[in-house]
Amino acid sequence: MNLTFLARQISNVVATTAAHITDDRVFFGMQLARRLPGPASRLVGRALGRLPGDSSQAASAWLLGQETTAKDLVAGSQTPSRLLGEIALNLGLLDEAETIAEAVPHATALSSRIRWTKGDIDGAIAALPAGARRTRLIEERRSLQPSWWPETNSHITARSAQETEKSTQPSALHLLTNSLPHTRSGYAYRSHAILTTLKDAGHEVAAATRPSYPVTIGRVSSGPVETVDGVDYLRQIPLRPLSTPTARLDDQASWLAVQAQNRGAQILHTTTHYVNGLATGAAARAAGLPWVYEVRGVLEETWAAAGGSAAEREARRVSQRFQLMRAKEIEVASAADAVITLGETMREHLIAGGVPESSITLIPNSVSEAVVDADVARTPAEVRAGLGLPEAGIWVGTAASIVGYEGLDDLVDAIILARSQGIDLRLLVAGDGVALPTLRERARQLGEHAVFTGRVSQAEAIEHQLALDAIVVPRKDEPVCRLVTPIKPIEAMGLARPVVVSDLPALRELVPETAGVCVNPGNPRELADTLSELAFDEGARKRFGQNGREHVLATRRWKDIGRRYGQVYSRLTGVAAQ
């Protein structure tokens, strides 16, 4: 452990905490309690449950994952408070939160957050008095304005042509939102797979992460550079984080340009969303380097899909925030020297927005060698026995981030319907997310026939998917689900398991008819019938699984797909791929 760097991180935490407490101690305290490790958060929840008052009781239920109870307490309360309003907002009860904000004195911060949640940026700013919070939002709005880009320090100079021709393969510095070993998400694993594939192909690569990461997620970095599987991850930890997003982007862009020079990078490469693109584009301009923008999602559609009701989701899609985010994403992608995206539907979305078709390269999600090397010869029942789960029954489910648009509530309802007709379907869901508490409550009537593991490692996620007789991706019919291609169906096929997916464009392009089944989204009855048919047809399950694995091994292995990155780099730098 680098003690000097540890002290720097402690200073960062102290400064950030002091700023949050000064800014809004109620909001900070509530968010801190929710982000504590599970046992500690539940301990706080139980302690609050012993205190009188609607606010304490609602906070207790919220922390304990009893969201239905928390919503009932909020809706029925006659004693509004700031804490109750913040809980209402976090539960998606916008009308109740607004009513509370109007009834509680000095609730300007809550009123502003409600408007921000609705996508009314100007309203969120107008709700606040002059001060640090208002200034932050003003600068957030400025960063979304057309043509705004960070400014870098004037002392940064571009590298000469002689310096950039030393490598036999183009060298690259990536900018990431998060990374291994501190974040174990699909984003982090894809990023690491790209970096290791490039490294194995002879490219010099490294990755920088966003300012103050991993301190921002409550983790400590062992030093300014952490190495995972031979890949360096660079950490930018300021002693005291700058107070506005525009100032942070200026500083980040300057720092990134210096790192690119120090590392001898010939190309910069970043991923969605636009904040990463702004910093990388400015750094590339300062260092005289080409840059790549990798579009892995559609930020504004993901935000809109998080709305609690259909009306709220539609209101978000016509909001100021949605329109500004969409325009900024297209502006950033259009400014990049090359754009990479995951699927045809995403490519078409970018072209329709005005991104030059000639700049876009499709590099789809693929599977790691951990999936390729998995022991798929074991039956699901054998894998379940090793995990301590019952061998009996037909188990369906997934390993995923648990958010509303994943449609796992429809899967729960489908299993309930099938079981009511005597089909021994059972549920296994590996993963965590904001929708997990509600999903657990929905599945309560399944009793022991529903298992939720919570957060798991990549190796554990693979093992739990192997325990399933069929893997289900029942995404909702939301724009984000029609556009963005997830990695889970690819992994499922790679693990020789049949796949059942919602009949949406971004999913249809992933799963051949020989490897799985498409069902109409949002239709638990149809999903129940499909799963029941598979439950009675072991031959079909095996056939789908075998066909899917053959398809993935032939077309979706990182060691093969990853070479396309090198081809993009060579085209931009003029350095021939080896």
Side-chain angles (χ1 to χ4, degrees):
M1 173 66 72
N2 184 315
L3 295 180
T4 301
F5 198 69
L6 175 61
R8 189 178 190 87
Q9 293 176 91
I10 292 172
S11 172
N12 183 286
V13 170
V14 170
T16 301
T17 302
H20 281 306
I21 292 174
T22 301
D23 191 31
D24 190 338
R25 65 185 63 191
V26 173
F27 178 73
F28 174 68
M30 189 186 74
Q31 295 302 316
L32 178 63
R34 188 63 182 265
R35 284 168 171 75
L36 289 170
S41 182
R42 289 190 291 272
L43 179 64
V44 173
R46 287 191 291 270
L48 286 170
R50 290 192 284 269
L51 298 176
D54 293 339
S55 296
S56 297
Q57 294 298 310
S60 172
W62 178 64
L63 288 171
L64 294 173
Q66 300 165 358
E67 292 202 354
T68 300
T69 300
K71 288 179 179 179
D72 290 343
L73 286 165
V74 169
S77 176
Q78 300 299 312
T79 54
S81 68
R82 273 287 317 284
L83 178 58
L84 199 68
E86 296 290 358
I87 293 170
L89 181 57
N90 272 268
L91 290 170
L93 303 175
L94 292 183
D95 291 341
E96 288 84 350
E98 281 192 296
T99 300
I100 292 169
E102 291 168 359
V104 176
H106 312 299
T108 55
L110 174 59
S111 295
S112 177
R113 272 192 285 277
I114 293 168
R115 286 162 176 75
W116 185 268
T117 300
K118 288 184 171 184
D120 179 8
I121 295 177
D122 289 342
I125 293 170
L128 294 170
R133 189 185 300 114
R134 192 172 196 271
T135 299
R136 280 200 303 275
L137 292 192
I138 290 171
E139 291 302 297
E140 183 83 26
R141 180 179 60 186
R142 188 161 77 96
S143 72
L144 280 163
Q145 297 306 304
S147 302
W148 185 90
W149 287 78
E151 297 181 0
T152 54
N153 296 334
S154 59
H155 69 268
I156 300 169
T157 57
R159 300 172 70 229
S160 68
Q162 287 182 333
E163 291 176 308
T164 60
E165 290 174 359
K166 291 179 181 177
S167 300
T168 57
Q169 296 272 51
S171 57
L173 177 62
H174 289 219
L175 175 63
L176 304 174
T177 302
N178 54 53
S179 77
L180 302 178
H182 304 292
T183 299
R184 298 186 177 276
S185 63
Y187 174 94
Y189 282 119
R190 177 182 167 101
S191 300
H192 192 67
I194 293 166
L195 290 161
T196 52
T197 299
L198 287 166
K199 179 179 69 69
D200 292 344
H203 297 265
E204 290 185 12
V205 292
T209 46
R210 70 183 188 269
S212 297
Y213 179 88
V215 173
T216 48
I217 62 167
R219 303 292 295 272
V220 175
S221 174
S222 61
V225 178
E226 293 185 287
T227 303
V228 181
D229 299 329
V231 175
D232 287 348
Y233 288 99
L234 318 181
R235 312 300 186 194
Q236 182 192 7
I237 312 289
L239 281 169
R240 185 181 182 88
L242 296 170
S243 60
T244 66
T246 47
R248 288 194 294 271
L249 279 167
D250 289 346
D251 184 61
Q252 182 185 17
S254 298
W255 178 84
L256 188 63
V258 171
Q259 300 306 312
Q261 285 189 310
N262 292 344
R263 289 263 167 176
Q266 295 162 279
I267 196 163
L268 293 179
H269 180 151
T270 194
T271 69
T272 38
H273 59 79
Y274 71 90
V275 172
N276 290 340
L278 289 172
T280 304
R285 183 172 62 247
L289 298 175
W291 68 288
V292 175
Y293 191 51
E294 184 171 341
V295 179
R296 299 189 191 174
V298 183
L299 170 68
E300 68 278 8
E301 293 290 5
T302 301
W303 171 72
S309 66
E312 185 187 340
R313 292 193 291 275
E314 186 54 37
R316 287 188 177 200
R317 297 193 79 250
V318 297
S319 70
Q320 178 189 21
R321 183 176 174 187
F322 183 98
Q323 300 304 323
L324 286 174
M325 285 195 294
R326 168 155 290 183
K328 201 66 181 181
E329 285 290 341
I330 293 296
E331 178 187 347
V332 168
S334 299
D337 295 288
V339 175
I340 291 170
T341 196
L342 311 183
E344 287 291 347
T345 51
M346 295 176 71
R347 179 177 174 273
E348 291 169 4
H349 167 76
L350 290 167
I351 294 169
V355 179
E357 182 177 358
S358 60
S359 72
I360 303 172
T361 299
L362 197 158
I363 304 182
N365 275 319
S366 302
V367 297
S368 67
E369 292 306 293
V371 170
V372 174
D373 296 337
D375 182 6
V376 300
R378 293 173 296 163
T379 67
E382 289 171 338
V383 180
R384 290 197 294 272
L387 291 171
L389 296 170
E391 296 181 50
I394 298 296
W395 289 70
V396 299
T398 189
S401 296
I402 304 174
V403 295
Y405 61 74
E406 290 291 350
L408 295 175
D409 55 335
D410 292 329
L411 177 57
V412 169
D413 292 348
I415 293 172
I416 292 171
L417 286 170
R419 291 192 65 82
S420 71
Q421 296 182 333
I423 312 298
D424 191 10
L425 284 183
R426 308 188 186 194
L427 176 68
L428 172 61
V429 175
D432 198 0
V434 294
L436 180 58
T438 303
L439 195 66
R440 285 182 186 273
E441 288 188 288
R442 197 180 195 101
R444 188 170 293 161
Q445 71 182 90
L446 290 174
E448 64 182 5
H449 300 126
V451 175
F452 298 92
T453 68
R455 189 175 301 278
V456 295
S457 68
Q458 184 187 37
E460 291 168 333
I462 289 173
E463 196 71 0
H464 281 86
Q465 288 176 92
L466 287 170
L468 294 169
D469 295 282
I471 294 174
V472 189
V473 186
R475 287 190 156 192
K476 300 283 191 183
D477 188 7
E478 295 286 344
V480 66
C481 300
R482 292 195 291 269
L483 286 170
V484 180
T485 56
I487 194 171
K488 287 307 169 190
I490 305 299
E491 286 189 345
M493 290 188 292
L495 294 170
R497 295 299 182 256
V499 188
V500 178
V501 300
S502 290
D503 191 6
L504 299 169
L507 293 170
R508 281 199 304 271
E509 72 174 87
L510 296 179
V511 182
E513 292 182 357
T514 57
V517 182
C518 289
V519 298
N520 287 316
N523 191 330
R525 177 74 272 170
E526 182 182 346
L527 182 56
D529 292 342
T530 298
L531 293 174
S532 297
E533 290 178 14
L534 281 175
F536 284 114
D537 195 341
E538 183 179 2
R541 298 199 304 271
K542 288 182 177 178
R543 185 169 62 254
F544 281 142
Q546 181 179 350
N547 291 340
R549 183 165 171 84
E550 290 175 355
H551 169 71
V552 166
L553 295 184
T555 65
R556 293 296 184 90
R557 294 179 70 169
W558 267 122
K559 71 175 187 177
D560 299 323
I561 294 291
R563 294 172 185 163
R564 299 186 192 176
Y565 286 95
Q567 293 167 359
V568 173
Y569 292 179
S570 295
R571 186 170 70 248
L572 294 179
T573 61
V575 178
Q578 302 298 305

